[in-house]
């Protein structure tokens, strides 16, 4: 029996089209402003560029020193994500394969870490980083992001490992492997889908974060891209063309990463929720 095209179906299509337009409009506005000169932005801010201009990209690159900012963002993001993958997967392996009161308590603590906003500990965290002499350093940012994102990372990995049959681990242990060897050679290769999810979700968060680098790296010369782009906005004037161009340049690396890993994101995230 064939499904008829009903008024309800038409209404749902209209709603979905409206939602798609609502999500795509900011992207359209951003790209449009990036390819306009100041005169076009002042007269017709939302029209198509006529003619397109790439002058804002060069000006943004030089004015905000986006080259060094991109290097700073890349170093902090890559290092933080690698540490999160190593620590998160190892912690999740212990929590998923150990049925003790300690493992259950630790898992609950990690869940609490997801719920509580880090703003509650903003001042103590800042003071701690300052006391350690890591204020304005890459190490301080990596340490901060590792601590903030570790609960969510452990949550995803734990759910995924619990969905894997324990026979894989038991077989390796019977063959004489240690738990670390079983994890490294048997379990971790099976974590590829959820690792892709962990990588992209953490990378997007760290790359786009503005407040933390502004607070911890401001004035150090190691500012990330969002902080450098913010230099185009002040109390009295805002150069929206440079802001848009800077944001487009900043979004390209993380967009390419998402396109490469997109097939892992939904599959890994859904698998991680099974546990």
């Amino acid at each position: 029996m064939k499904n008829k095209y009903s008024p309800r179906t038409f209404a749902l299509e209209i709603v979905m089209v409206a939602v798609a337009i609502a999500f795509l409009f900011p992207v359209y506005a951003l790209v449009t402003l990036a390819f306009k000169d100041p005169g076009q932005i002042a007269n017709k801010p939302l029209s198509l560029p006529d003619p397109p201009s790439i002058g804002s990209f060069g000006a943004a690159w030089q004015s905000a020193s986006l080259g060094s900012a991109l290097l700073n963002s890349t170093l902090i993001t890559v290092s933080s994500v690698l540490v999160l993958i190593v620590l998160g997967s190892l912690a999740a392996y212990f929590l998923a394969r150990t049925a003790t009161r300690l493992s259950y308590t630790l898992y609950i603590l990690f869940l609490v870490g997801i719920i509580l906003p880090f703003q509650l500990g903003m001042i103590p965290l800042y003071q701690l980083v300052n006391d350690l002499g890591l204020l304005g350093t890459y190490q301080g940012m990596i340490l901060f992001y590792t601590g903030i994102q570790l609960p969510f990372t452990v949550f995803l990995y734990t759910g995924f490992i619990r969905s894997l049959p324990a026979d894989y681990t038991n077989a390796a242990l019977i063959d004489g492997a240690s738990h670390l060897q079983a994890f490294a050679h048997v379990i971790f290769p099976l974590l590829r889908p959820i690792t892709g999810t962990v990588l992209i979700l953490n990378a997007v968060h760290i790359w786009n974060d503005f407040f933390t680098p502004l607070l911890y790296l401001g004035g150090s010369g190691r500012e990330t891209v969002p902080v450098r782009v913010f230099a185009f906005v002040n109390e009295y004037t805002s150069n929206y063309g440079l802001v848009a161009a800077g944001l487009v340049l900043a979004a390209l690396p993380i967009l390419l990463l998402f396109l490469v890993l997109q097939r892992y994101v939904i599959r890994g995230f859904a698998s991680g929720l099974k546990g």
Side-chain angles (χ1 to χ4, degrees):
M1 183 177 180
K2 295 183 178 179
N3 294 326
K4 295 183 179 180
Y5 188 83
S6 63
R8 182 174 180 272
T9 303
F10 176 74
L12 288 175
E13 289 182 350
I14 295 298
V15 172
M16 295 305 296
V17 170
V19 171
I21 293 175
F23 276 97
L24 290 176
F25 179 75
V27 179
Y28 164 79
L30 179 66
V31 175
T32 299
L33 290 174
F35 283 94
K36 287 183 176 181
D37 57 40
Q40 294 184 58
I41 294 176
N43 297 325
K44 299 179 179 179
L46 296 180
S47 64
L48 291 173
D50 185 25
S53 172
I54 60 173
S56 295
F57 290 94
W61 184 273
Q62 295 179 357
S63 301
S65 301
L66 288 184
S68 61
L70 285 171
L71 290 177
N72 295 335
S73 292
T74 301
L75 178 60
I76 293 172
T77 302
V78 171
S79 301
S80 300
V81 170
L82 288 177
V83 175
L84 283 167
I85 289 174
V86 173
L87 294 183
S89 59
L90 284 171
Y93 175 73
F94 169 77
L95 296 176
R97 290 291 183 254
T98 306
T100 63
R101 183 174 298 179
L102 174 62
S103 63
Y104 178 76
T105 302
L106 291 175
Y107 184 66
I108 295 300
L109 288 176
F110 278 117
L111 294 182
V112 172
I114 298 176
I115 299 172
L116 293 178
F118 85 93
Q119 287 86 353
L120 292 177
M122 183 175 61
I123 296 177
L125 285 173
Y126 183 88
Q127 188 61 48
L128 176 62
V129 173
N130 186 39
D131 292 342
L132 292 174
L134 298 177
L135 202 61
T137 65
Y138 297 127
Q139 296 91 326
M141 292 301 302
I142 295 169
L143 179 64
F144 178 89
Y145 284 127
T146 299
I148 293 297
Q149 295 298 110
L150 190 59
F152 182 64
T153 302
V154 170
F155 169 71
L156 291 179
Y157 270 125
T158 302
F160 192 90
I161 294 175
R162 284 175 176 170
S163 69
L164 297 176
D167 296 342
Y168 296 119
T169 305
N170 296 335
L173 296 177
I174 292 173
D175 289 339
S178 64
H179 278 284
L180 185 59
Q181 291 172 330
F183 170 80
H185 299 289
V186 179
I187 299 301
F188 190 75
L190 299 175
L191 302 181
R192 183 178 300 176
I194 196 64
T195 297
T197 304
V198 167
L199 193 157
I200 189 65
L201 292 180
N202 283 316
V204 169
H205 171 78
I206 296 171
W207 185 274
N208 292 330
D209 186 25
F210 167 74
F211 177 74
T212 306
L214 178 66
L215 183 64
Y216 288 83
L217 296 177
S220 67
R222 298 184 177 92
E223 294 88 356
T224 56
V225 174
V227 178
R228 292 282 178 86
V229 173
F230 184 67
F232 298 131
V233 180
N234 57 51
E235 184 178 358
Y236 300 103
T237 59
S238 298
N239 195 324
Y240 294 109
L242 296 185
V243 171
L247 291 176
V248 169
L249 291 173
L252 287 178
I254 207 69
L255 178 61
L256 293 175
L257 179 64
F258 178 80
L259 292 177
V260 172
L261 298 176
Q262 62 177 332
R263 61 186 179 132
Y264 294 114
V265 174
I266 302 299
R267 184 174 64 181
F269 188 70
S271 300
L273 292 178
K274 291 179 180 179

